[in-house]
Amino acid sequence: MYNKRVIDYFSNPRNMGEISSADAVAEGGNPVCGDVVKLYLKIKEDKIVDIKFKAFGCGACIASTSALTEMVKGKKISEALKISNEDIAKYLGGLPVQKMTCSNFSTDVLRKTLVGRA
Ligand code: FES
């Protein structure tokens, strides 16, 4: 069962959409279920100044990716790279254990997006 905060982030995703003039874009998926996340980032010097996402996925995937975008906006790339799926789950007030893998791949996509920029 999802808590109220997860349901809110799933029902009203923050930072959903795309950035046409993004400095970095990456896409990745969960090979187990086929869900997909795409991230768009605006980067100034070593800071993430804007981030948006598109996702085709379950509630945990969308809520986690939405939370991730809030967590990294305004952060230095080096700080953003330290965020784990456990941090996302904590930010959301907890995720069901069987849904923790759903929050894994948004952090993987973020790392893929930021490769070589830290
Ligand atoms: Fe696919 Fe959650 S079931 S990411």
Side-chain angles (χ1 to χ4, degrees):
M1 203 64 175
Y2 293 129
N3 67 39
K4 280 185 183 163
R5 189 164 161 88
V6 173
I7 292 169
D8 180 43
Y9 272 73
F10 167 58
S11 308
N12 307 291
R14 279 66 159 177
N15 302 308
M16 184 171 258
E18 59 182 85
I19 300 173
S20 57
S21 57
D23 298 308
V25 179
E27 184 176 310
N30 183 337
V32 178
C33 63
D35 290 353
V36 177
V37 163
K38 192 167 184 178
L39 295 177
Y40 304 81
L41 284 86
K42 279 301 272 187
I43 298 167
K44 259 202 184 121
E45 292 170 18
D46 64 341
K47 259 192 186 163
I48 298 168
V49 293
D50 199 10
I51 179 167
K52 292 204 182 291
F53 79 99
K54 283 180 161 179
F56 175 81
C58 70
C61 161
I62 291 170
S64 298
T65 311
S66 177
L68 177 69
T69 61
E70 280 194 338
M71 292 169 77
V72 303
K73 201 187 269 192
K75 284 222 166 46
K76 287 183 174 183
I77 290 171
S78 56
E79 294 169 331
L81 286 169
K82 289 180 190 157
I83 293 172
S84 67
N85 67 328
E86 286 88 4
D87 295 328
I88 294 172
K90 202 169 166 186
Y91 186 83
L92 288 169
L95 280 171
V97 177
Q98 64 273 31
K99 286 293 183 179
M100 283 301 287
T101 55
C102 305
S103 63
N104 253 345
F105 79 97
S106 59
T107 53
D108 289 347
V109 175
L110 180 70
R111 287 191 184 96
K112 193 167 137 186
T113 314
L114 296 174
V115 156
R117 292 179 179 267

